[in-house]
Amino acid sequence: MRGRGSKKSGGKSAVWFLVPFGSIFLLAGLFAFNALFIKPLRLMRAAQSWPAVPAEVVSSQVRSSSTSDGTTYRAEIVCRYEVSGRSYTGERYDAFGVSTSSYKKWAAVVREYPPGKKVTVYVNPADPSESLLNREGGPMLLIGLFPLIFVLVGAGVMAGGIVGTARSHRKWKPEPAGIADGPQELKSTVTPQAKAFGISAVALFWNGMVFGFLFRSDAPFFFKLIFAAVGVLIAAGAVHAILALLNPRPQLRLHTCRIYPGSEVQLDWTLSGRAERLERMTLSLQGRESAWVTRRSGGKSETRKEHRLFFDEPVYEVTGAESLRQGCLRFRIPADAVPSFKGGRFEIRWQLKVRGEIARWPDVNQEFVFKVYAPGGVS
Amino acid sequence: MSDRLEIRLSREPAVYAPGETVSGTLYWECERAPRKIYCELRWETEGKADFEGHIADQIEESAPESAGSLSFAFRLPHEPWSFRGKLVRVCWTVLAKSGKAETVLPLVSSPTGAEVVL
């Protein structure tokens, strides 16, 4: 006999850990989003209707503040103006009031507003002590969107913890019995179109952020270089996936849906498109286990899906353009093959992997999943 | 005296084919009569994968005597089999619980006569 307390609590602890952890991210993200985007945006919008008042720059300097993370700078420009005969001084340059790591940027602002310069400030009619020298947003407003990443990550971690725990403790019911017999067309797990679209979308988003925004910021050069290198790699992946759209497409058809451990299975395959470009094609029978794995180190937790092939054997190999249009083969599912199974946090799946080699071109690489049933489990 | 629970299966070793019936008897001896006592057939995951546990079948007895026995017969579902992979291991067990006392008896559900190693 063995104890099980620790295991049982393992599932529950995920929710106790992930929900508070995610909520910290969520709240911090919402707080930063409010401070860096919502508040400045509201102030900017309000300032659009504030009256313009002539003013004079009294002092202008770059202020620095140092912390363990480094030194940040901001422009401190003090302007004097009059409203209804009363004199006021305003110190706010823009709606953001944030410090950044760039000295150059703020030095340029200070140079633009030397002491004694006649300027225009925008004054809050309800509170004349409140004024803005610059009521435009520009790229600073985009910085305010960054905390949304924390909001999304926090919400995702919380949802993952709640849904995952609910799934792992739900009352389990076996799959209903009964499967139709007859041939089955296998579907590719990820179509080349979906792959190309997905990678292209990621490449556009990443490179749009990096080259359209990061490179205009004052981030260190090394930091920019790393992000740019990742962007180039993703773009190369997108080009690779787009070129693969021109590849011949395999279609697989099994003669039966009733596949059990030990079954002999008959498969018809065809290749559409320019099959003559293929130099070699292999079909492999693969068994794969996948599981959601949560790793905790320090105060951090990371959950990711891991995959491992426990069975991978070629069942067919063909070379030469003549025989690469269509064919038929038989293969056997191992007698001790664990049937396909999908739990809440793991999956056992069987698939046929098609690999096609094309000289100086992206290869054909597609997986087709089928189900191996438990004997007696279905009829 | 602490509460005592014991599960005895009718088969030794506890290796079953999926679809077979797991039968046995649960014995208990408690200081005071428990509010309820239950016995369940369940499967759980072990290994690197996040924990997942499911009850396949369960019986319970409300307001039992302080000592007694309860026979059970659970039919094993055809899936999942008992297997051990690098990421996940599926373990079948019979679990009995009464108050804070708990006991677990592992068993194997596999047509090969042993836990399948992936």
Side-chain angles (χ1 to χ4, degrees), chain A residues 54-342:
Chain A
E56 182 183 349
V57 177
V58 177
S59 68
S60 175
Q61 59 182 315
V62 177
R63 287 273 187 194
S64 66
S65 56
S66 297
T67 64
S68 57
D69 293 331
T71 305
T72 57
Y73 305 91
R74 66 185 173 87
E76 187 184 271
I77 300 167
V78 180
C79 297
R80 185 184 296 126
Y81 55 94
E82 283 189 9
V83 176
S84 304
R86 189 174 167 190
S87 180
Y88 295 92
T89 53
E91 296 179 357
R92 190 145 198 177
Y93 169 67
D94 62 12
F96 302 96
V98 293
S99 303
T100 69
S101 59
S102 169
Y103 175 82
K104 277 185 188 173
K105 177 187 171 179
W106 296 117
V109 171
V110 165
R111 276 197 301 275
E112 195 183 336
Y113 297 99
K117 185 177 181 180
K118 304 293 181 191
V119 294
T120 298
V121 294
Y122 302 92
V123 179
N124 183 357
D127 178 9
S129 65
E130 187 181 18
S131 66
L132 278 184
L133 181 56
N134 175 8
R135 60 180 179 181
E136 302 304 320
M140 288 296 283
L141 203 55
L142 290 177
I143 290 178
L145 293 175
F146 265 115
L148 284 180
I149 295 171
F150 285 83
V151 174
L152 289 175
V153 169
V157 169
M158 287 174 71
I162 293 165
V163 172
T165 305
R167 275 185 183 171
S168 66
H169 286 275
R170 71 187 171 193
K171 177 94 177 176
W172 175 76
K173 287 180 182 171
E175 236 178 53
I179 45 166
D181 199 9
Q184 57 172 321
E185 300 283 343
L186 300 186
K187 288 182 180 169
S188 179
T189 50
V190 183
T191 63
Q193 295 95 321
K195 193 174 176 181
F197 178 79
I199 299 178
S200 299
V202 171
L204 281 173
F205 176 77
W206 182 273
N207 288 302
M209 292 289 285
V210 169
F211 293 101
F213 174 62
L214 182 69
F215 267 57
R216 291 185 187 173
S217 76
D218 311 307
F221 176 74
F222 182 67
F223 186 70
K224 290 177 182 175
L225 194 66
I226 291 172
F227 274 72
V230 172
V232 169
L233 282 176
I234 300 173
V239 171
H240 189 274
I242 290 167
L243 291 178
L245 289 174
L246 301 173
N247 282 348
R249 306 274 167 81
Q251 280 135 22
L252 307 186
R253 183 171 172 271
L254 297 178
H255 280 219
T256 180
C257 291
R258 296 181 183 224
I259 300 171
Y260 305 98
S263 292
E264 190 182 62
V265 184
Q266 192 172 338
L267 167 76
D268 295 334
W269 62 267
T270 55
L271 278 173
S272 60
R274 297 170 62 190
E276 68 279 3
R277 298 172 67 212
L278 281 177
E279 293 179 338
R280 197 164 76 110
M281 187 181 81
T282 56
L283 268 100
S284 302
L285 174 63
Q286 296 183 330
R288 195 181 85 166
E289 61 172 327
S290 305
W292 288 99
V293 177
T294 303
R295 287 198 169 83
R296 298 182 184 96
S297 65
K300 293 180 181 173
S301 162
E302 186 193 13
T303 300
R304 52 182 287 194
K305 198 168 192 181
E306 293 189 10
H307 309 280
R308 175 192 157 254
L309 288 180
F310 60 83
F311 188 90
D312 186 8
E313 279 189 11
V315 293
Y316 193 64
E317 184 174 329
V318 61
T319 54
E322 288 300 311
S323 48
L324 275 171
R325 278 279 167 206
Q326 58 184 14
C328 181
L329 65 125
R330 286 175 179 274
F331 62 92
R332 189 173 288 281
I333 306 294
D336 61 349
V338 170
S340 306
F341 189 82
K342 194 166 187 174

Side-chain angles (χ1 to χ4, degrees), chain A residues 1-2 4 7 11 167-172 174-175 261 289 291-295 303 306 308 310 336-341 343-346 348 374-377, chain B residues 6-7 42-46 48-56 77-81 83 85-88 90-93 95 102-106 112 116 118:
Chain A
M1 292 190 194
R2 62 196 169 87
R4 57 181 289 286
K7 282 192 295 144
R167 275 185 183 171
S168 66
H169 286 275
R170 71 187 171 193
K171 177 94 177 176
W172 175 76
E175 236 178 53
E289 61 172 327
W292 288 99
V293 177
T294 303
R295 287 198 169 83
T303 300
E306 293 189 10
R308 175 192 157 254
F310 60 83
D336 61 349
V338 170
S340 306
F341 189 82
R345 307 296 289 167
F346 74 96
I348 297 292
Chain B
E6 188 185 350
I7 298 167
R42 55 183 290 131
W43 63 267
E44 299 172 345
T45 60
E46 287 183 355
K48 286 171 73 180
D50 293 348
F51 174 80
E52 183 174 348
H54 298 277
I55 299 164
H78 288 90
E79 56 183 0
W81 292 2
F83 70 83
K86 289 275 195 298
L87 298 177
V88 63
V90 166
C91 308
W92 280 93
T93 56
L95 174 145
E102 182 181 292
T103 186
V104 178
L105 197 65
T112 66
V116 178
L118 300 182

Side-chain angles (χ1 to χ4, degrees), chain B residues 49-94:
Chain B
D50 293 348
F51 174 80
E52 183 174 348
H54 298 277
I55 299 164
D57 203 355
Q58 186 185 53
I59 55 164
E60 77 172 50
E61 190 157 302
S62 299
E65 300 285 324
S66 60
S69 64
L70 179 67
S71 296
F72 59 84
F74 300 127
R75 186 155 184 238
L76 270 168
H78 288 90
E79 56 183 0
W81 292 2
S82 299
F83 70 83
R84 188 173 72 231
K86 289 275 195 298
L87 298 177
V88 63
R89 181 184 187 190
V90 166
C91 308
W92 280 93
T93 56
V94 176

